[in-house]
Amino acid sequence: MTAKMNYPEKKILVVREMEVQMVPCAIPYVFGPTLGSSEKNIASCGKADEMGIENLVAKVEEVDIDGKIAYTPTHRIDFDKVVFATGSIPFVHASLEPSLALDGVFTVPKNKELIDKAKKYCDSVTDIVVVGTGFIGVEMAMELRESGKNVTLLGGSPHIFKGIFDREIAAQAEEILSSQGITFIGGDRVAAILDRNGDNIVDAVQLESGTIIDTQAVILATGYKPNTELAEKAGLPLGDYGGVVVDEYMRTKNGDVFAIGDCSARRGFITREPSKVMLASTSAAEGRVAGSSLYSLKYMKKFNGTIAIFSTIVGDTVFASAGITEEDALRNGGEIVVGSFNGVNRHPSTIPGAQSQFVKLVAMRHGGQIIGGQVVGGNEAGEMINIIGLMIENNMTIYQVMSIQVATHPMLTAAPTSYPIVMAASMTANAMEK
Amino acid sequence: MTAKMNYPEKKILVVREMEVQMVPCAIPYVFGPTLGSSEKNIASCGKADEMGIENLVAKVEEVDIDGKIAYTPTHRIDFDKVVFATGSIPFVHASLEPSLALDGVFTVPKNKELIDKAKKYCDSVTDIVVVGTGFIGVEMAMELRESGKNVTLLGGSPHIFKGIFDREIAAQAEEILSSQGITFIGGDRVAAILDRNGDNIVDAVQLESGTIIDTQAVILATGYKPNTELAEKAGLPLGDYGGVVVDEYMRTKNGDVFAIGDCSARRGFITREPSKVMLASTSAAEGRVAGSSLYSLKYMKKFNGTIAIFSTIVGDTVFASAGITEEDALRNGGEIVVGSFNGVNRHPSTIPGAQSQFVKLVAMRHGGQIIGGQVVGGNEAGEMINIIGLMIENNMTIYQVMSIQVATHPMLTAAPTSYPIVMAASMTANAMEK
């Protein structure tokens, strides 16, 4: 769409493997009462169609970079410019890959047909093990639980949301999961997926500790990896985590060849190291950059690396995070200071629906730049984290944040006198002096 | 509280006229079902008390600046530093002031006793006229309507929310008011408040057009003015709209005398002209600046003028605005470009509770700095406007915003591919080229 807006005279063709595409981040909600069906999770392409963007449903099997030709089984497509946007596919540890052949063992791919199959299977059983405690794993566990299943959530780390939230915040989310009747087992890895009576149907999971958990289905939500088979075949160099190597404008070394989204290699905004973070919002931003840079560098690119910026809802509580956690900053040798504030998301607190709102900030000890933030609160936390994200992108310091101007309203936000982002900045400034 | 944090060894005394202080912005909600009583709208000072801040309930009648003494009827208070934080009081046009003596005519002061009186009176009648179409007037009208009153809302301008929203957006709010059964009459001013049978009870309002509206009560929500009687008596110079003149660190010419909040004179962030905007959030920011600058300039102040930044909820729809509107920018001779985008606040749009989300941005034609934004959407718009506010404070351009990184989540935000703030920036960039 950005390409068409910027180069309206060009013919833009999207070649996609599947007729119908789901909204990726809403896939867990297909499994429970929130959406209840993949039919309710279809990504609309109406605007692209209106703009005159063409579509071809086909699998590209080869791209001849030098000849500027892409081949599907039935078409030969000549191009001036090509953008690889092949996304990501589920990552499963090699030792567990053979178990994918068992009935009742599923990953969470961005593929409607496969999701429909997994959903139908889950509907037919009562005991389900979810492996993986990132957002997709936790959201799958919650939706399956809301559908009345007995759910066990397994994670290799002691706490869920590793690298996204500090442990004291993750622990709050774990408490909510527990109150919903989800069994969380952390700090133990899956050693094997078992089919003890040899009927090719999963019946248990064995952990490294020896624990055996009987189950009727296993969902492996153990992450994603760049889908770069096609790019690799075309001879494009891949980066550290397997993504296509690109510059700030999403160009490969060949100026006519771009890669965007989860199939591209990324660097962290703060650590400058290769990043495994895969986010639709970052991908969309990359798409906008590439779309406006196809034939010339039209706009100066503001960002330079991926800020991990996430949100989710656990029970009625939103957990959101931007940048780096305290734990990861310390692990990277960061000289940091943290500050936090616990307030209320309405004012006065007697306003109906008021709930607590917590903000934690991580700042550089020297200079005070904000490099991370975590918010726990009501639905508004989903946008508050974008305020913190913008502070990180703009290299703002806690000293600047202490006097920012914000809109507050009794029915919508915390009180102006104790707006938690500002108060957390003050607390961080205070902690600096100790 | 900031002063105590920064200068813990100092004795901090707050002298206040009233034992109990209401949350100012929630006063309209006392009049309807949302809070229902001023008892539910008490501002807590618990944290200040915990920090060891002292209190005196008394009216300061004189401040001797040179002698560094404040006098109440019963106390003499010696000080090193004094901060005027006397706030604002209702503004009523001189021609209507005598009518305040009639039974049934009220303003909306930040005074619990007077609000209780007005609320009791409103509860006893059925027909009420609200004069003034800023936030307080509109919110009063809605709450009174929700209590079952017949409400007529009068404004001198053709549209409500003058200077805060462009007319096409204000018109959306007017439609919601109308659907709730509120009668809005715009573009006509109150010529007189009538007591036709001379019993000292209001019985009608006469407009400049000649229209007479029978009523049992009149609420004058026609703005506020700085409460500077005490400061003026102390000899402090007042600025254009009557506020105490201060520098960027809230100091008067006398470095031991500060003024913060609605009683101080303000300048607009964008136009640099004197500003009448009175906001609790701006006041709180000023309080933090003064509190940390009492004995030394501790932190560099980030902001330089008041960004008008507001939010409110009309029916189930949030209206929020930051910076300058398109109309006001054009009136100021601004060479501007606008762009807008209409999306949905969840993704996919089948997520329960999804509602439309609209963003409009106003940017400088040369350079593309964002100088204003308006959001219409669900509750999340209350924090989205703070994202736009931060863009304005940071002098961000639409070109930078086109590639910002945001967190998105199906249950909490718009889709990453069509996040309305980013899309509105793209639309503005597009409009630049025309």
Side-chain angles (χ1 to χ4, degrees), chain A residues 40 281 350 383 386 406-407 419, chain B residues 40 281 350 383 386 406-407 419:
Chain A
K40 284 201 166 175
S281 52
T350 49
E383 294 292 356
N386 290 328
V406 289
Y419 187 74
Chain B
K40 284 201 168 176
S281 51
T350 48
E383 294 293 355
N386 290 329
V406 288
Y419 187 73

Side-chain angles (χ1 to χ4, degrees), chain A residues 64-69 254:
Chain A
D64 172 357
I65 297 279
D66 295 327
K68 296 195 172 182
I69 313 166
N254 181 328

Side-chain angles (χ1 to χ4, degrees), chain B residues 366-382:
Chain B
H366 311 285
Q369 287 95 344
I370 295 170
I371 59 170
Q374 293 162 68
V375 183
V376 182
N379 280 4
E380 72 288 339

Side-chain angles (χ1 to χ4, degrees), chain A residues 1 5 23 25-26 29 34-35 40-42 47 139 269 280-282 284-285 288-289 298-307 309-313 318 341-342 346-348 350-352 357 379-380 382-387 390-391 393-394 396 399-400 402-414 416-419 422-423 426-427 429-430 433, chain B residues 1 5 23 25-26 29 34-35 40-42 47 139 269 280-282 284-285 288-289 298-307 309-313 318 341-342 346-348 350-352 357 379-380 382-387 390-391 393-394 396 399-400 402-414 416-419 422-423 426-427 429-430 433:
Chain A
M1 287 169 67
M5 264 201 291
V23 174
C25 12
Y29 301 101
T34 306
L35 289 176
K40 284 201 166 175
N41 190 32
I42 306 302
K47 275 178 191 152
E139 289 167 354
F269 184 84
S281 52
T282 307
R288 286 187 199 99
V289 168
K298 193 159 178 180
Y299 303 116
M300 173 81 187
K301 187 174 167 186
K302 167 78 182 168
F303 84 89
N304 185 6
T306 295
I307 298 175
I309 178 164
F310 306 93
S311 56
T312 191
I313 181 163
V318 172
F341 185 80
N342 212 347
R346 301 286 183 267
H347 64 285
T350 49
I351 291 278
Q357 192 179 74
N379 280 3
E380 72 288 340
E383 294 292 356
M384 283 176 74
I385 201 62
N386 290 328
I387 299 173
L390 205 56
M391 290 170 175
E393 270 201 55
N394 281 313
M396 286 183 82
Y399 306 111
Q400 295 172 325
M402 282 162 66
S403 63
I404 59 163
Q405 300 182 59
V406 289
T408 57
H409 188 275
M411 310 278 281
L412 302 170
T413 70
T417 46
S418 55
Y419 187 74
V422 171
M423 292 306 285
S426 294
M427 294 302 155
N430 231 28
E433 314 209 337
Chain B
M1 288 168 67
M5 264 200 290
V23 174
C25 11
Y29 300 102
T34 306
L35 289 177
K40 284 201 168 176
N41 190 32
I42 305 303
K47 275 177 191 152
E139 289 167 356
F269 183 84
S281 51
T282 309
R288 285 186 199 101
V289 168
K298 192 159 179 181
Y299 303 116
M300 172 80 187
K301 186 175 165 185
K302 167 79 183 169
F303 85 88
N304 185 7
T306 296
I307 298 173
I309 179 163
F310 306 92
S311 56
T312 190
I313 181 162
V318 171
F341 185 79
N342 212 347
R346 301 285 184 269
H347 63 286
T350 48
I351 291 279
Q357 192 180 74
N379 280 4
E380 72 288 339
E383 294 293 355
M384 283 177 74
I385 201 63
N386 290 329
I387 299 173
L390 206 57
M391 290 170 175
E393 270 200 57
N394 280 313
M396 285 183 81
Y399 307 111
Q400 295 173 323
M402 283 161 66
S403 62
I404 60 164
Q405 299 183 59
V406 288
T408 57
H409 187 276
M411 310 278 280
L412 302 170
T413 71
T417 47
S418 55
Y419 187 73
V422 171
M423 292 306 285
S426 294
M427 295 301 154
N430 232 28
E433 313 208 337

